[in-house]
Amino acid sequence: MNDISTRILAALSTGDQWVSSARMVGTLGVSRMTVCKQVHRLQQLGYGIEAAPRLGYRLTGRTARAVPEEVEPLLRTRVIGRPYQYFAEIDSTNAFLRGRMDALPEGATVVADSQRGGRGRLQREWFSPPGVNVYLSVLLKPAVSPMLAPPLSLVAAAAVLRAVHSLGGAEARVKWPNDILWQGKKLAGILCEMRAEADRVQAVILGIGVNANLTAFPETLTRTATSLHEALGRPVSVPALTAAILHHLDEEYASWSRDGLPGSVSFLNRHSMLAGREVSIALLHDEVRGRAECITEDGMLRLILADGSTRDITSGEVQLCRPATTRKRTPRHE
Ligand code: BTN
């Protein structure tokens, strides 16, 4: 966090008053030029700050973006979000961390207001316009074997779902493994990437995208995607949502490191949209159909197949099967 800009905001936040440039210089112990530059930077971050020659400065509005000045004061995390880096625009927050895995510590978090090349699973594009959503990636360095790392995407799903619930979206559900949906439409997605040696994970990147205040969707997404704003009928605070995700990820990750997956899984099972539904899952070479029972303690999706046997699925794209409908006869008019 930029210390001077935080202190400028604190000085301006005492009420709807003008604060003279001389007073700012005196309280902060910096030059007039520095104050001027930092005020300009804050304005660019979206803060409403008026400047008038004889009056000085006045704060007229805070920014709606997840800048460190807004998010860091809300963070009570031990690992996640430390350090916290923000960009107005970036290629992709996942790609940013991919290039800096060795240099950055566990917990390092990068947040962007928009992405030029946001990616989802299967290399799909992730729509990432500015000023409306959450796009963030977190770097983890768990000391485990590569087999144990993929379920971290479930840990992230539990954290995102808890954050969405905490902001009023209690009806949001998880679609295994890690899509967050609202009445069948996608609210948030998670992209989990890993770098590992044969017997040891080097780093995991959890990329999280949440449609927060998006209301104008491109045509290709209108049928399948929604946002918290659409779901709740009111806008949500992007800094508060960002801080809530990081807070819950800090707790879920600590629980996973200590006790493994059961904590996250039992929460996800209570809020799963698949339980009891007929699904089909595309595997590498075939497709499996069955009734989804639950997420197992090791993160697999348990299916009951047509012959009554069970099968645990490790990964795959889940499709809901439509319930068989009895065709209505159209009455003949003779
Ligand atoms: C999916 O559901 O397909 C996963 C979507 C993940 C999108 C996020 S946005 C932040 C991070 N950066 C990316 O390029 N992707 C992830």
Side-chain angles (χ1 to χ4, degrees), residues 9-249:
L9 285 171
L12 294 178
S13 297
T14 51
D16 184 25
Q17 291 159 4
W18 289 95
V19 180
S20 72
S21 180
R23 198 162 127 214
M24 205 91 102
V25 165
T27 345
L28 303 179
V30 293
S31 71
R32 218 168 256 263
M33 180 63 98
T34 306
V35 172
C36 188
K37 270 193 191 155
Q38 289 301 325
V39 165
H40 182 65
R41 194 186 139 261
L42 287 167
Q43 287 168 329
Q44 287 193 320
L45 290 177
Y47 287 92
I49 301 179
E50 278 181 50
R54 269 179 305 278
L55 295 168
Y57 301 100
R58 188 164 71 131
L59 185 66
T60 56
R62 301 197 77 90
T63 182
R65 299 179 196 155
V67 299
E69 285 79 356
E70 294 297 305
V71 176
E72 285 190 336
L74 306 175
L75 282 187
R76 303 280 176 274
T77 55
R78 277 155 295 185
V79 177
I80 310 297
R82 308 195 178 278
Y84 181 98
Q85 240 179 311
Y86 170 85
F87 292 91
E89 194 193 80
I90 203 169
D91 174 23
S92 145
T93 53
N94 267 42
F96 179 87
L97 285 183
R98 225 182 288 130
R100 291 159 184 82
M101 280 179 182
D102 296 326
L104 289 170
E106 161 149 286
T109 298
V110 55
V111 178
D113 189 50
S114 67
Q115 299 184 115
R116 291 182 301 273
R119 283 281 163 270
R121 268 175 284 138
L122 307 171
Q123 283 303 308
R124 291 179 188 133
E125 181 195 347
W126 186 258
F127 185 55
S128 312
V132 281
N133 288 337
V134 173
Y135 317 110
L136 67 85
S137 299
V138 174
L139 180 66
L140 299 176
K141 298 188 172 178
V144 295
S145 95
M147 267 167 48
L148 293 174
L152 277 170
S153 66
L154 294 172
V155 170
V160 175
L161 190 57
R162 280 189 192 277
V164 167
H165 284 186
S166 75
L167 266 86
E171 280 174 45
R173 296 281 174 268
V174 63
K175 179 173 164 239
W176 180 89
N178 51 19
D179 282 346
I180 308 298
L181 285 92
W182 183 279
Q183 295 178 351
K185 286 183 163 186
K186 188 148 160 173
L187 206 54
I190 291 154
L191 177 64
C192 178
E193 298 183 282
M194 173 172 73
R195 195 177 76 190
E197 288 166 8
D199 59 349
R200 185 180 77 93
V201 170
Q202 289 172 319
V204 171
I205 297 170
L206 292 176
I208 296 170
V210 186
N211 295 332
N213 291 321
L214 190 64
T215 47
F217 291 86
E219 216 182 302
T220 46
L221 295 180
T222 44
R223 276 186 334 108
T224 53
T226 189
S227 67
L228 266 170
H229 187 163
E230 266 194 358
L232 303 177
R234 59 172 166 82
V236 294
S237 155
V238 168
L241 177 57
T242 304
I245 293 170
L246 299 180
H247 163 74
H248 288 292
L249 187 56

